[in-house]
Amino acid sequence: MQNDDALAWLDRHDRHLASERRLSPLSRKHYRRDLDRLADWADSSGLEHWTELDSHHIRAFVAGEHRRGLGGRSLQRLLSAIRGFYRFLIREGLCQNNPAQDIRAPKSPRRLPATLDPDQTARLLDQGADTTDPLQQRDVAIFELIYSCGLRLAEVAALNRGDVDADSDMLHVTGKGSRARILPVGGMARRRLAAWLELRPRFAGQQQAALFVSRQGKRLSHRSIQSRLQRLAASTGLDRHVHPHMLRHAFASHLLESSGDLRAIQELLGHADIGTTQIYTHLDFQHLAQVYDQAHPRARKK
């Protein structure tokens, strides 16, 4: 489906995602990649325009992707992209039906997110606490902030100095879908952040808005944050791969263990759907089951 008119609708849809739905460039890139795959498949099947596709075509396309090894979660995302695209085409008057509307991907087994227990988290965050290295002090401030506020990697990397409200100890965060939220910052994170803000002028001037900067004074990249955390984890002797999202998972699971307030955790994490947050109830149950197995006299009775 390489004719100019068909491809033009993909471009118009991308502009719709950017201007009306306000999706991030990364999300739009994923949508476009999925729709380009559908366009390539349609072209190889002799279809010339989006109006020619029906539910049988979409089922055949999804089945082919499944045979190629695409898992349930990826297929769900693929179908979501197609449904959204056709909703746009219907709104624009090009199509009358959504061929992907009633098609469901096979379910994937639920996988619990990897996380850290409170002792591992404390050991990790305390590791660089007494350092005199300003960049390591920056790293500790980043990781304390992720754990204190449950931030995504992209959210902490995008923080600006103006997002920190020192008077109220609150943090202004813009998350997925440009949804804004205001988060309380814990005492330890506040102290680490204050220490970094005193050091920050060594690396960047007032013209640089980014809160966390590199040695060269530029906004710290996602890859740099990931590699610095892995280095810190290795220095503590943690025998596992550690990534920033594990600190977000730790924030949620530790908070749920203490409070049991799933709705509050949903708001703090910035989840649009509480179903996304409910994964942490499984983590909490897993913790309770471990405590039971270790402590109850008859827990391991055969």
Side-chain angles (χ1 to χ4, degrees), residues 118-140:
D119 290 339
Q120 290 174 323
T121 306
R123 182 153 52 107
L124 178 67
L125 296 177
D126 290 343
Q127 177 68 13
D130 298 325
T131 182
T132 57
D133 180 352
L135 295 182
Q136 194 166 345
Q137 291 187 56
R138 174 205 64 193
D139 296 343
V140 173

Side-chain angles (χ1 to χ4, degrees), residues 100-291:
Q101 186 61 47
D102 297 322
I103 299 174
R104 296 291 177 263
K107 289 186 177 180
S108 296
R110 181 183 288 269
R111 292 190 304 170
L112 297 181
T115 187
L116 300 167
D117 65 35
D119 290 339
Q120 290 174 323
T121 306
R123 182 153 52 107
L124 178 67
L125 296 177
D126 290 343
Q127 177 68 13
D130 298 325
T131 182
T132 57
D133 180 352
L135 295 182
Q136 194 166 345
Q137 291 187 56
R138 174 205 64 193
D139 296 343
V140 173
I142 292 171
F143 305 138
E144 283 281 5
L145 202 58
I146 293 175
Y147 179 59
S148 175
C149 301
L151 301 180
R152 300 178 177 94
L153 173 59
E155 291 171 346
V156 75
L159 286 174
N160 292 325
R161 285 179 295 124
D163 294 327
V164 181
D165 189 338
D167 293 332
S168 61
D169 297 323
M170 304 296 278
L171 187 70
H172 297 255
V173 177
T174 302
K176 286 186 176 181
S178 298
R179 290 188 296 272
R181 63 192 194 277
I182 300 175
L183 303 171
V185 181
M188 185 64 74
R190 290 200 302 270
R191 290 191 287 274
R192 302 297 184 220
L193 188 56
W196 161 244
L197 288 174
E198 289 185 7
L199 297 168
R200 185 185 174 282
R202 299 186 192 180
F203 304 98
Q206 292 297 318
Q207 74 281 0
Q208 173 58 266
L211 178 60
F212 296 111
V213 297
S214 66
R215 190 186 299 274
Q216 292 75 31
K218 298 180 181 179
R219 185 180 296 275
L220 206 59
S221 69
H222 295 191
R223 187 179 296 275
S224 294
I225 295 172
Q226 290 171 324
S227 63
R228 297 287 291 194
L229 180 59
Q230 290 172 16
R231 185 183 307 177
L232 183 63
S235 70
T236 67
L238 283 174
D239 56 347
R240 58 188 302 189
H241 175 73
V242 177
H243 53 83
H245 221 67
M246 291 175 72
L247 291 173
R248 175 172 160 90
H249 292 321
F251 160 85
S253 56
H254 299 170
L255 202 58
L256 182 62
E257 289 173 14
S258 301
S259 70
D261 192 334
L262 194 65
R263 183 66 68 179
I265 294 169
Q266 177 195 1
E267 295 294 326
L268 291 168
L269 290 174
H271 285 160
D273 183 356
I274 197 168
T276 309
T277 319
Q278 285 174 336
I279 184 66
Y280 296 105
T281 64
H282 295 272
L283 283 173
D284 188 36
F285 179 79
Q286 190 177 55
H287 169 74
L288 294 175
Q290 289 172 350
V291 171

